């Protein structure tokens, strides 16, 4: 596992959940529709590790990969996501509640805009 994520796992639920960054919110929102599972995909021969949620892959370039790995680390530190097995992570109860809140907020704002 990447050092940044391993450190976040050690610091699980030690950061206040306050304001979410863009990547954190997107990770939680997509995880809501992917049974709460988030993965770090690795291919040691071709590319650097990246975040994958369902059919959403954050691997367009090195900066995007780094931003979403950092976002995943923050969701872990805030207690929204917990390590499951190896490079797999799952939403916690707190994470499911936050993800549902994000999805409902998007639905309300999207419907209002139309």
């Amino acid at each position: 596992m990447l050092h940044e994520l391993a450190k976040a796992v050690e610091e699980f639920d030690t950061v206040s959940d306050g304001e979410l960054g863009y990547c954190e919110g997107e990770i939680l929102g997509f995880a809501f529709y992917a049974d709460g599972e988030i993965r770090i995909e690795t291919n040691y021969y071709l590319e650097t590790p990246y975040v994958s949620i369902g059919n959403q892959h954050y691997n367009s370039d090195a900066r995007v990969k780094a931003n979403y790995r950092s976002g995943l680390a923050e969701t872990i530190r805030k207690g929204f996501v917990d390590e499951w097995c190896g490079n797999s992570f799952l939403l916690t109860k707190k994470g499911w509640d936050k993800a549902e809140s994000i999805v409902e907020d998007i639905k309300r704002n999207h419907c209002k805009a139309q």
Side-chain angles (χ1 to χ4, degrees), residues 12-96:
F12 173 76
D13 206 11
T14 58
V15 176
S16 96
D17 52 348
E19 194 76 23
L20 284 181
Y22 178 82
C23 295
E24 296 168 63
E26 191 162 316
I27 288 168
L28 292 172
F30 276 108
F32 182 84
Y33 291 107
D35 294 329
E37 188 174 349
I38 303 161
R39 296 192 43 78
I40 293 293
E41 301 291 341
T42 57
N43 181 332
Y44 295 106
Y45 301 107
L46 301 175
E47 55 187 88
T48 56
Y50 62 91
V51 174
S52 171
I53 306 168
N55 63 359
Q56 186 69 27
H57 304 279
Y58 298 99
N59 63 347
S60 60
D61 62 42
R63 187 174 189 165
V64 167
K65 292 175 190 179
N67 285 339
Y68 281 90
R69 287 192 315 261
S70 178
L72 176 57
E74 281 303 304
T75 62
I76 294 167
R77 284 186 191 99
K78 292 177 179 179
F80 295 130
V81 175
D82 196 7
E83 181 182 23
W84 177 39
C85 177
N87 287 344
S88 293
F89 301 84
L90 291 174
L91 292 179
T92 62
K93 166 72 168 103
K94 182 178 175 182
W96 276 108

